[in-house]
Amino acid sequence: MIFIKLSVGIVLNVVAVVLSVVSLVFTQINRRKNEELTLQISRQTLEAKFYESIFEEMLVLKIPESRNKICIVDNKIAHHLDLFDIMGELKKKSIYFRYRNKDFYNSLKESCTLLEDYLAKVNDNIDSGVEAYDSLGRIDDYIQEIYKIIFENYLPHQ
Amino acid sequence: MSNVINLEFDKTLTGLAGFEYGEKVFKQQVGNKEFDTIVFPSNIELVASSFTQGFFKTLLEKKGADYILNHIKIVSKNENVVRKVRSDIY
């Protein structure tokens, strides 16, 4: 009888120790997960700040406003200097990503260069009003591509 | 004494663009000549950063942007060209 009571006592002690160890392991795992989550959130917050400081004004104000100024005068594209300048500025401002996310930097730089180059030469390649109207469409396509590249890279970080 | 390079382009052109084109123009019209002034013709109204970076590629690699901005004068009748070319040297 005493032997059975002793055995039950030992088993209970062993179970208690095992439960304590399991609990400790789970606590550690949880703590590590929380630390990783906090670190991830901090990184995302920092990244979001960089995105905002680099792109917010460009995407919300500068690009749409400069695009709105562009019109056709005497079958040529006119008032495109602002958008032309902004493309160069956007490339320059994005240099941070050359060191942080090279693929994104390269595709953004390429798209900005396409539009900037297009605007530089646009009136050398237009001979009629129809071509001028087509050019407005091309400009919009280039702008859409730039927005797409930026948002596709930005949204996964949200 | 100033060494001036007067760039020459087709008179009908109003814009310059393209990294490779910039490199080609530098090789053809500047090459190994010493210079401290680059003059863009008056028909050129817009110069894309791709052209500027191709044109100054060798100098940027050898001497850096600060040297170019402090020692080489960019001249054009279009103020926008001067401002834009200088801002694209980096």
Side-chain angles (χ1 to χ4, degrees), chain A residues 67 115 135-146:
Chain A
R67 167 61 186 90
L115 178 52
S135 293
L136 290 179
R138 289 283 298 275
I139 291 168
D140 287 337
D141 291 343
Y142 283 125
I143 291 174
Q144 278 175 22
E145 182 62 21
I146 289 166

Side-chain angles (χ1 to χ4, degrees), chain A residues 80-81 84-89 91-93 95 98 105 109 113 116-124, chain B residues 12-19 21 45-51 53 80 83-84 86-90:
Chain A
H80 53 299
L81 182 64
F84 174 75
D85 282 348
I86 284 167
M87 286 305 108
E89 194 187 332
K91 278 202 294 188
K92 208 172 177 178
K93 279 186 123 182
I95 285 181
R98 184 160 75 186
Y105 172 74
K109 184 185 168 196
T113 302
E116 193 192 5
D117 287 0
Y118 183 75
L119 290 169
K121 306 277 298 167
V122 68
N123 284 330
D124 293 338
Chain B
T12 60
L13 276 186
T14 62
L16 302 173
F19 189 90
Y21 183 56
E45 295 168 1
L46 295 176
V47 180
S49 56
S50 55
F51 177 89
Q53 283 166 9
N80 286 328
R83 178 187 51 77
K84 181 74 163 68
R86 284 184 62 82
S87 77
D88 290 332
I89 296 171
Y90 60 89

